[in-house]
Amino acid sequence: MRDHNWSFAAWEVSKIENRIQEGSLVVHVDSHFDDVPDGLVVRGLFEAKSKEDIMKVSRSYDRSLGQVPESNLMHIDNFIWALIGRGTIEEVIFVSRDKLELNVLPDVREEYAHCLPEN
């Protein structure tokens, strides 16, 4: 899948349709971690309830048209933290040769506490 933001939609719609439960496990196989935490500030992320809402949140921009992305959009590298923030996934196993360090929950919680829903 070129535009990973649509995998966010697939997981969220599956949750709405009761095909997966909250707190699921993801095995992410990719050359990059795709763990950019600004997925937690995607416009409409926590308000989305319906399939239509999820599709709207998942929509990004078309790189092939040379569009400049707006801020606070779902992108190919921030969908994992969006799923974690919504409680759809709880754990991720990364299979990757990426040499960068993963973002860890305590650090992300500290930096993005203002935009996370109360548990």
Side-chain angles (χ1 to χ4, degrees):
M1 177 180 299
R2 182 187 84 172
D3 294 328
H4 302 351
N5 44 297
W6 294 112
S7 63
F8 169 84
W11 279 83
E12 288 296 327
V13 168
S14 292
K15 184 172 75 173
I16 289 170
E17 294 175 346
N18 294 314
R19 291 186 284 139
I20 64 166
Q21 297 177 3
E22 284 205 8
S24 291
L25 165 72
V26 169
V27 177
H28 181 70
V29 181
D30 196 338
S31 61
H32 303 287
F33 291 138
D34 297 332
D35 77 325
V36 178
D38 72 0
L40 294 168
V41 294
V42 166
R43 192 177 317 129
L45 178 69
F46 295 108
E47 297 79 19
K49 303 290 184 227
S50 68
K51 292 179 190 178
E52 293 77 19
D53 293 341
I54 295 299
M55 298 309 281
K56 185 175 181 181
V57 167
S58 301
R59 197 167 291 118
S60 188
Y61 65 101
D62 190 339
R63 283 185 300 283
S64 68
L65 298 176
Q67 294 176 343
V68 176
E70 300 173 42
S71 60
N72 296 355
L73 291 180
M74 183 76 58
H75 297 292
I76 64 170
D77 60 356
N78 65 2
F79 67 98
I80 290 175
W81 279 103
L83 289 162
I84 291 170
R86 286 180 56 93
T88 304
I89 62 174
E90 184 176 301
E91 185 177 0
V92 183
I93 296 172
F94 291 93
V95 179
S96 180
R97 290 184 173 176
D98 198 330
K99 302 296 185 216
L100 297 175
E101 287 190 35
L102 282 166
N103 290 299
V104 292
L105 190 55
D107 294 343
V108 172
R109 267 201 189 122
E110 185 176 318
E111 185 175 349
Y112 288 89
H114 63 283
C115 60
L116 290 170
E118 296 288 325
N119 289 338

